[in-house]
Amino acid sequence: MEHKIIAKCLVGSQAHGTATPESDLDYKGIYKQPIDDLISYGYQEFNKISKDEIHYEIKRFFDLLIAGNPESLELLFTPEDCIIIDSPEFKLLRENKHIFLTKKCAKSFANYGYSQIHKAK
């Protein structure tokens, strides 16, 4: 069965105005699976489209948001001009994005920054 895409955004350096001529295009998205997949063995937490594009199933996306995951929060704070696929569900999430900014985010963002520094080295 086909997934219903509820959001797709251009993320990373392109979305934040820090891209260089060598920068690639990175995309993230959110999808809903059909109910038959959710109640069977067909559940997929994410769908990696390519090395530069990944989509998360909505339940997994909420799990990441609740954990303060920086990459999932990035989707909610994506500039309007970088939203490629929008939906009423995604608009509702963006309108309430402040709900997901908790004290957990501070530690998550610090750990994320630390890991990015190590990757760069």
Side-chain angles (χ1 to χ4, degrees):
M1 292 189 126
E2 208 165 298
H3 302 153
K4 179 186 177 201
I5 304 293
I6 62 170
K8 180 177 176 181
C9 300
L10 179 64
V11 296
S13 62
Q14 301 287 344
H16 301 293
T18 57
T20 66
E22 295 81 32
S23 295
D24 62 354
L25 300 175
D26 297 308
Y27 299 95
K28 288 197 176 119
I30 307 166
Y31 65 90
K32 293 190 307 189
Q33 284 189 251
I35 191 73
D36 291 344
D37 288 350
L38 294 175
I39 60 174
S40 69
Y41 293 107
Y43 178 72
Q44 258 184 298
E45 283 189 344
F46 62 90
N47 186 9
K48 189 166 185 169
I49 310 297
S50 70
K51 72 176 188 76
D52 298 318
E53 184 170 352
I54 188 164
H55 296 183
Y56 295 98
E57 203 283 323
I58 189 77
K59 181 196 175 306
R60 177 65 178 148
F61 185 70
F62 275 113
D63 290 343
L64 293 169
L65 285 175
I66 290 165
N69 176 274
E71 292 184 15
S72 61
L73 285 164
E74 178 184 22
L75 268 177
L76 298 185
F77 289 87
T78 298
E80 290 285 330
D81 63 336
C82 294
I83 298 172
I84 298 163
I85 297 174
D86 206 353
S87 68
E89 297 96 333
F90 190 52
K91 283 181 182 75
L92 184 61
L93 279 171
R94 288 193 336 270
E95 288 169 4
N96 294 285
K97 60 189 170 193
H98 62 280
I99 293 170
F100 301 102
L101 296 176
T102 65
K103 290 181 181 180
K104 269 187 184 177
C105 294
K107 185 174 183 180
S108 292
F109 273 82
N111 289 341
Y112 180 76
Y114 186 72
S115 71
Q116 293 300 99
I117 289 169
H118 277 295
K119 277 186 190 178
K121 290 180 181 180

